[in-house]
């Protein structure tokens, strides 16, 4: 969308004789098309430019201020996964006290930085619910170099069940075919946890 179209959306409506797009174009024309110059205007100055009242002028300036603050925000540094403890620090607090099982994947880039945390299923872990296509679709979308499987055991026992092992084998095999390796499968159970990679179960 053009800047005029975006500004027209903010205005919502124009005047009896002029549509919002025309009013938006006039506003931008008055500041030589510069949003920075427009943002420096006061509500009263925008009103004097014609076509808008004080409420719309305030709305426009508020939106521009949000854009300025967005530009100033520092993007948080991605979490890098080097050890199972890094995974626990990232997801442990969220999963430790859940009353139902949740199965997540962490999509990692080539530097082992987490690009995305995806909830794949909620409920009892079952191979029919956790299908490779649901696991690897977001990994492919993120161009992940590898993934980490994570789920919780509400029982408080992190010991892997036969279903946990079967799902891990299935995902590891699928990852090998796709060139997106499964780097670990972490089970969180209250304050306890188990890493398939550390236990030699991958």
């Amino acid at each position: 969308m053009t800047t005029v179209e975006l500004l027209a959306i903010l205005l919502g409506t124009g005047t009896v004789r002029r549509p919002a797009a025309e009013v938006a174009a006039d506003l931008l024309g008055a500041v030589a098309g510069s949003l920075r110059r427009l943002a420096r205007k006061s509500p009263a100055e925008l009103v004097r430019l014609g076509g808008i009242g004080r409420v719309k002028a305030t709305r426009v300036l508020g939106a521009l201020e949000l854009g300025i603050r967005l530009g100033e925000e520092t993007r948080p540094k991605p979490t890098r996964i080097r050890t199972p403890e890094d995974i626990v620090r990232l997801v442990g607090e969220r999963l430790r006290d859940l009353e139902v099982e949740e199965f997540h994947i962490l999509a990692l880039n080539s530097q082992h930085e987490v690009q995305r945390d995806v909830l794949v299923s909620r409920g009892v872990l079952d191979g029919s619910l956790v299908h490779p296509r649901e696991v690897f679709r977001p990994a492919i979308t993120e161009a992940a170099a590898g993934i980490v499987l994570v789920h919780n055991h509400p029982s408080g026992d992190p010991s892997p069940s036969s279903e946990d092992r079967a799902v891990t084998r299935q995902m590891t095999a699928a990852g090998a075919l796709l060139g997106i390796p499964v780097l670990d499968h972490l089970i969180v159970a209250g304050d306890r946890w188990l890493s398939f990679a550390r236990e030699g179960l991958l």
Side-chain angles (χ1 to χ4, degrees):
M1 298 180 74
T2 66
T3 303
V4 168
E5 289 170 333
L6 291 170
L7 190 53
I9 290 173
L10 279 176
L11 295 176
T13 58
T15 65
V16 175
R17 297 181 180 178
R18 300 162 66 218
E22 198 173 303
V23 175
D26 286 349
L27 278 174
L28 282 174
V31 291
S34 171
L35 289 176
R36 290 185 184 276
R37 291 180 186 173
L38 190 63
R40 288 199 291 267
K41 298 289 184 183
S42 68
E45 287 175 313
L46 290 190
V47 169
R48 284 198 294 272
L49 291 177
I52 63 172
R54 192 171 185 86
V55 172
K56 288 184 180 179
T58 302
R59 184 190 304 159
V60 168
L61 293 175
L64 292 171
E65 177 62 24
L66 282 175
I68 292 169
R69 295 184 187 188
L70 174 63
E72 292 173 346
E73 254 186 31
T74 302
R75 189 174 181 179
K77 189 175 181 180
T79 302
R80 181 170 290 177
I81 303 298
R82 296 187 181 89
T83 66
E85 285 81 5
D86 293 331
I87 307 170
V88 174
R89 280 191 287 272
L90 180 64
V91 302
E93 284 296 320
R94 280 187 289 133
L95 298 181
R96 57 188 284 178
D97 296 321
L98 293 180
E99 295 180 357
V100 297
E101 288 193 18
E102 286 191 358
F103 187 93
H104 293 243
I105 72 157
L106 305 178
L108 311 183
N109 64 17
S110 59
Q111 303 300 313
H112 286 202
E113 295 172 336
V114 178
Q115 301 300 292
R116 190 175 171 193
D117 177 348
V118 181
L119 172 63
V120 176
S121 73
R122 180 180 286 117
V124 177
L125 182 59
D126 186 292
S128 64
L129 297 177
V130 183
H131 192 278
R133 66 172 171 267
E134 306 304 328
V135 169
F136 286 96
R137 183 184 292 125
I140 293 169
T141 300
E142 294 293 330
I147 65 171
V148 171
L149 312 177
V150 183
H151 84 281
N152 63 303
H153 280 182
S155 66
D157 182 0
S159 302
S161 66
S162 58
E163 190 65 44
D164 295 338
R165 293 171 185 265
V167 167
T168 304
R169 286 194 299 270
Q170 183 185 31
M171 298 307 155
T172 301
L177 287 174
L178 293 169
I180 305 176
V182 174
L183 303 174
D184 201 351
H185 183 174
L186 191 88
I187 299 174
V188 176
D191 293 326
R192 302 164 64 196
W193 53 271
L194 179 139
S195 160
F196 274 62
R198 181 162 290 176
E199 297 297 321
L201 298 175
L202 280 182

